[in-house]
Amino acid sequence: MGSSASKAALGATTNEPTEPEQKHLADLIQYINGTNMSVVHLADVLSEKTGSSSWVVVFKALVTVHHLMVYGNERFIQHLASRSSLFTLHNFLDKSVVEGYAMSAFIRRYSKYLNEKSLAYRLMESDITKIKRGADGVMRTMNTKELLNTLPVIQIQFDALLNFNANADELTNGIIHAAFMLLFKDSLRLFVAYNEGILNLLDKYFDMGKKQCRESLDIYIKFLDRMTKLAQFLKVAEQAGIDPNDIPYLSQAPYSLLEALKQHLASLENKHDILPPYGSDVRWRHPSEMEMTSEMNWQLSNCTCISTIWDPVSVSSISYMKSLQGFYLQSSDHALGVPWFLKVLRGLIKLQASDSEQTDL
């Protein structure tokens, strides 16, 4: 590693309780983006810094590593993912200063997230936050087996991110604030990949066998739980001063969808005593158009919409009432054996496919 890069790595991880200086981070980005520049020694230097007893040095080293993962050449995270172990900070505790107790807890959680981010790269051979998005993106074009293997990996990384669990009043210094900002950026990109994977999974659900349906339903239920936690995380982001226009608005997914997924699995398992099968003559209560549109409105406010759990699209402000009118089904369609919401889903995909673009996060 060049002397300038060594100097930048040391400069980014000083014992001053401020976030790593941008000039040092910029020098490191320039270094690892250089052709054939080895990242091994740089990773070694930063890893060694995490062995310090000072929470300041350790936290700044982790923030620097995360910054390079997000903004640097892929070779950096690729190398980290190849290591047998990355950060072993689950017992880290700085007792030398009062602030060390609180910051040590965040260091333990933050290092776990970076470990999971690296592990996810190893398992997927790509950074989930940087994969191609949209109608022809990675998550939307996976087959069922790939989805069932990949979505749990995303869920684990997402859990580790949300478990950072900082309140706005706990972002008391530049270091933890810098860490939170990087987590916020990752959270949006992870959400898009997660969201698109769930869209693909639901579109395949009614063609799956019993075992795959059971796995898919479990994944979807966990998805709903994580969306509740994500909403709490985004609320902290707004309280921390992030522009509200950069924060997605999330609303609850339709309850009727979850019930229909459960019903389909029950029909495959011949548990007709729970709910009648789709092919029966029973007429279900059909949600009103207002219920559908009010519950199906997840969007990024910066003119990039995440329309429900369904489809990330880049459009100007849209009216879901208008968009859904052409796909709203009468209750008589239930007798056809095809769930109304799946028709709505496929209709929305067809409607918005021409406008679907990768979100710029």
Side-chain angles (χ1 to χ4, degrees):
M1 184 171 73
S3 59
S4 60
S6 296
K7 183 178 179 181
L10 295 175
T13 55
T14 63
N15 202 29
E16 295 295 321
T18 57
E19 66 180 290
E21 292 186 27
Q22 287 301 314
K23 65 178 182 179
H24 297 312
L25 296 176
D27 286 344
L28 292 174
I29 291 293
Q30 184 178 10
Y31 172 78
I32 65 173
N33 286 352
T35 305
N36 297 325
M37 293 296 185
S38 173
V39 298
V40 177
H41 186 56
L42 173 57
D44 287 341
V45 170
L46 294 173
S47 180
E48 183 179 342
K49 284 291 185 177
T50 65
S52 172
S53 60
S54 167
W55 75 263
V56 173
V57 174
V58 174
F59 215 161
K60 290 176 77 168
L62 294 177
V63 168
T64 301
V65 168
H66 194 181
H67 184 90
L68 298 181
M69 285 179 165
V70 172
Y71 297 105
N73 189 287
E74 186 177 354
R75 290 183 298 111
F76 185 73
I77 188 172
Q78 187 177 47
H79 169 70
L80 295 180
S82 71
R83 294 191 166 198
S84 58
S85 63
L86 192 54
F87 304 117
T88 53
L89 295 169
H90 51 278
N91 290 322
F92 178 82
L93 179 61
D94 183 353
K95 301 178 181 179
S96 64
V97 291
V98 174
E99 193 174 12
Y101 286 89
M103 292 300 108
S104 292
F106 290 115
I107 284 171
R108 294 192 294 269
R109 299 170 197 165
Y110 192 37
S111 64
K112 182 177 181 181
Y113 170 71
L114 296 181
N115 284 339
E116 293 296 347
K117 184 177 176 72
S118 297
L119 178 59
Y121 185 96
R122 184 191 307 172
L123 295 173
M124 292 188 60
E125 299 183 345
S126 62
D127 186 343
I128 299 170
T129 65
K130 297 181 181 180
I131 58 177
K132 183 179 181 181
R133 302 189 291 270
D136 61 344
V138 174
M139 299 304 300
R140 290 285 294 274
T141 56
M142 281 187 177
N143 60 40
T144 301
K145 182 178 179 181
E146 291 171 332
L147 279 172
L148 293 177
N149 288 333
T150 301
L151 284 169
V153 176
I154 296 178
Q155 287 178 336
I156 291 171
Q157 184 177 339
F158 211 59
D159 283 345
L161 188 153
L162 297 176
N163 285 342
F164 188 71
N165 199 30
N167 296 320
D169 57 4
E170 292 176 307
L171 306 179
T172 55
N173 58 72
I175 308 173
I176 190 173
H177 189 270
F180 185 83
M181 293 299 292
L182 290 168
L183 290 170
F184 172 73
K185 189 175 187 69
D186 273 4
S187 73
L188 298 187
R189 292 176 168 181
L190 270 177
F191 170 71
V192 172
Y194 199 1
N195 180 69
E196 291 187 344
I198 292 295
L199 164 64
N200 191 3
L201 192 73
L202 292 177
D203 197 30
K204 299 178 186 300
Y205 185 81
F206 294 92
D207 297 320
M208 295 178 187
K210 180 171 61 176
K211 181 177 183 296
Q212 290 182 330
C213 276
R214 190 181 299 113
E215 291 180 53
S216 299
L217 179 59
D218 180 65
I219 287 172
Y220 178 68
I221 291 173
K222 289 177 179 178
F223 172 80
L224 296 181
D225 178 61
R226 281 152 184 78
M227 291 308 96
T228 300
K229 294 178 181 178
L230 176 61
Q232 297 169 347
F233 177 86
L234 296 177
K235 183 176 181 180
V236 174
E238 183 174 4
Q239 295 169 345
I242 294 176
D243 189 336
N245 290 327
D246 294 329
I247 300 175
Y249 167 73
L250 306 180
S251 60
Q252 186 176 1
Y255 179 73
S256 53
L257 170 56
L258 176 60
E259 289 304 300
L261 297 177
K262 289 180 178 179
Q263 160 59 35
H264 179 70
L265 176 59
S267 69
L268 294 179
E269 296 178 334
N270 296 318
K271 295 181 179 179
H272 300 294
D273 56 322
I274 299 178
L275 283 173
Y278 281 121
S280 71
D281 292 330
V282 176
R283 294 294 185 267
W284 297 352
R285 175 190 176 274
H286 192 64
S288 70
E289 189 164 337
M290 182 60 69
E291 287 177 311
M292 291 170 63
T293 54
S294 65
E295 292 179 330
M296 300 171 68
N297 185 30
W298 293 0
Q299 63 181 5
L300 291 175
S301 303
N302 57 356
C303 295
T304 302
C305 297
I306 302 295
S307 62
T308 81
I309 55 173
W310 310 138
D311 199 13
V313 293
S314 180
V315 294
S316 56
S317 179
I318 63 175
S319 168
Y320 281 91
M321 182 74 75
K322 181 177 180 180
S323 298
L324 285 170
Q325 283 175 348
F327 304 101
Y328 188 74
L329 308 176
Q330 300 299 320
S331 58
S332 59
D333 288 315
H334 297 317
L336 300 178
V338 181
W340 63 268
F341 61 83
L342 188 57
K343 291 186 178 181
V344 172
L345 167 62
R346 288 171 175 162
L348 283 172
I349 294 172
K350 181 178 179 181
L351 173 71
Q352 299 170 349
S354 60
D355 294 321
S356 182
E357 299 174 358
Q358 293 192 43
T359 53
D360 183 16
L361 299 174

